[in-house]
Amino acid sequence: MEKKILSAGHICLDITPMFPASAAQAEISELLRPGALVRTEGAAVSTGGSVANTGLALKMLGNEVELLGKIGQDAFGALLKSLIAGYGAGGLIEDAGSATSYSVVLAIPGRDRLFLHCPGANDSFSAADISETSLEEAVLFHFGYPPLMRGMYAREGADMVEMFRRMKAHGVATSLDMAAIDPSTEAGRIDWRRILRAVLPYVDFFVPSFEELCFMLDRPRYDRLNRGGDMTEGLSLRDEALPLAEELLEMGCGVVLIKCGTAGMLYKTAGAERLAAVGSRLPLDTAVWADREGIQPCFRPEVVRSATGAGDTSIAAFLTAVLRGYRPEKCAALAAAEGACCVTAYGALDGLRPLEELEARISAGWETL
């Protein structure tokens, strides 16, 4: 059987107007003044979201991938389909009653980015959108960004739980990634601990970021560490991330990989009995994977241009390594290496490198932070 991956979840079209360097001298209030005509220098149009970033990265790393993102039958949807087709991928779900999700990214020189986001069809994505035909040859199901999809967190995540339960009933291994949550939004008021307790028994590989976990499981810690900058700068993974990983395993998931920015990554695995439940389509060597724990430092990138997509592409490398039967420490190392390559380019996929190249650089003594 081919190792087919289903990459589902959030997808959108990113539109980034290019501001001239002179815009850095203007005040935001003046630059975006009502009635003003702001001159730009073209725009970058690209795919965004977990389905595009992780899904296409998985395909570029040599996997057979079906993309299961939901779009509308509108001009933005047609453009998104065209961009996806340029990578030789397809499988998007079309809904005539929904608008295609998009983000306008205002990246004014010298300032933090401002996003204008329309969730569109992502909010109506449901377990019913995934056909039985898609599951027939699937080995792994990866789902990304449920905090940005109303249907996935409504009713205490009932539909998301049913979706993952269905995957496990078909013998498909499962992976789940999260997204940053704005406390002022509807998703910011949800009891995410309750949702995680319900869904994680059906999740084999849980790959969130430290920031996302803190928000969901430990708001006092989140508020203590969130000072407006990088929460992971100078972070002690054993003191801060390990307790979160242990709690997640107690909730029932099989493998936890926590992305911690420049502090690196922490992984921790469940016992042999839980890992055996990953299933026959993706069997794990429990003698190698059971009861493992480790910290993977971040590799030093040649240059840092943009962190866009670094977490998503690192997940793609991690899952590809898992599918190849690598040991957990090697899977984590390749994930960190892919993330370090991603930040050297502006686009989420432009810095992607084959695993063989990453292995060679690591073997040659790639310096870590």
Side-chain angles (χ1 to χ4, degrees):
M1 178 187 295
E2 290 291 330
K3 293 183 178 179
K4 174 184 171 183
I5 303 173
L6 303 180
S7 178
H10 186 277
I11 190 169
C12 67
L13 186 72
D14 285 344
I15 305 167
T16 307
M18 296 181 181
F19 288 86
S22 59
Q25 309 304 319
E27 294 294 331
I28 293 288
S29 59
E30 178 62 24
L31 193 65
L32 303 181
R33 175 174 48 84
L37 175 64
V38 182
R39 182 181 177 88
T40 60
E41 299 177 343
V45 180
S46 60
T47 57
S50 173
V51 171
N53 292 347
T54 303
L56 290 178
L58 283 165
K59 182 172 181 59
M60 292 170 69
L61 290 173
N63 301 287
E64 180 188 353
V65 183
E66 181 177 350
L67 304 183
L68 298 175
K70 197 170 186 178
I71 62 173
Q73 293 180 342
D74 49 21
F76 281 176
L79 180 54
L80 197 50
K81 283 178 62 179
S82 176
L83 292 171
I84 292 291
Y87 290 91
L92 298 180
I93 303 161
E94 296 187 44
D95 179 10
S98 299
T100 299
S101 175
Y102 70 88
S103 293
V104 177
V105 185
L106 300 181
I108 301 172
R111 294 179 172 86
D112 286 342
R113 292 176 299 172
L114 173 66
F115 297 86
L116 308 179
H117 180 66
C118 169
N122 289 307
D123 274 349
S124 64
F125 188 100
S126 72
D129 286 318
I130 303 175
S131 69
E132 287 293 307
T133 302
S134 293
L135 302 183
E136 289 177 358
E137 297 181 350
V139 170
L140 175 66
F141 173 77
H142 177 71
F143 193 87
Y145 298 8
L148 304 182
M149 308 172 72
R150 182 179 293 118
M152 294 292 101
Y153 59 73
R155 298 182 299 117
E156 298 183 338
D159 200 51
M160 180 167 64
V161 174
E162 169 57 24
M163 179 175 62
F164 274 87
R165 185 205 62 77
R166 179 183 168 204
M167 296 298 155
K168 296 308 299 177
H170 281 75
V172 180
T174 56
S175 172
L176 175 63
D177 185 23
M178 288 296 178
I181 303 174
D182 182 344
S184 66
T185 63
E186 180 183 6
R189 297 184 290 273
I190 296 296
D191 186 347
W192 283 99
R193 181 185 295 275
R194 182 184 293 270
I195 292 177
L196 289 178
R197 284 196 178 280
V199 74
L200 286 184
Y202 306 107
V203 175
D204 298 315
F205 303 94
F206 189 35
V207 289
S209 75
F210 176 76
E211 178 181 356
E212 295 155 4
L213 280 183
C214 275
F215 186 92
M216 293 177 173
L217 297 179
D218 193 340
R219 281 300 297 276
R221 181 184 301 182
Y222 176 86
D223 293 337
R224 171 171 58 85
L225 296 174
N226 185 23
R227 306 183 186 92
D230 182 359
M231 282 182 60
T232 63
E233 186 176 355
L235 188 73
S236 168
L237 271 61
R238 292 211 177 274
D239 292 339
E240 301 284 359
L242 182 57
L244 296 175
E246 291 171 342
E247 183 174 359
L248 295 169
L249 291 182
E250 290 173 0
M251 290 182 181
C253 71
V255 175
V256 178
L257 178 74
I258 304 178
K259 308 183 295 286
C260 301
T262 56
M265 298 179 172
L266 180 139
Y267 64 88
K268 191 170 179 63
T269 71
E273 183 177 357
R274 171 61 183 87
L275 294 185
V278 171
S280 59
R281 295 193 187 184
L282 180 56
L284 288 181
D285 184 346
T286 56
V288 171
W289 275 84
D291 300 308
R292 303 298 186 193
E293 173 189 311
I295 290 175
Q296 171 59 52
C298 179
F299 289 100
R300 186 177 298 280
E302 295 173 349
V303 64
V304 177
R305 292 193 171 94
S306 172
T308 300
D312 293 325
T313 55
S314 68
I315 291 169
F318 178 79
L319 295 176
T320 300
V322 170
L323 287 169
R324 293 187 183 184
Y326 294 167
R327 301 175 65 90
E329 58 270 23
K330 186 172 183 178
C331 295
L334 290 169
E338 197 69 85
C341 289
C342 179
V343 302
T344 65
Y346 291 108
L349 302 174
D350 295 337
L352 198 74
R353 295 293 181 269
L355 295 197
E356 293 76 13
E357 181 178 327
L358 300 179
E359 290 182 69
R361 290 189 63 181
I362 294 171
S363 297
W366 193 348
E367 183 184 3
T368 58
L369 298 179

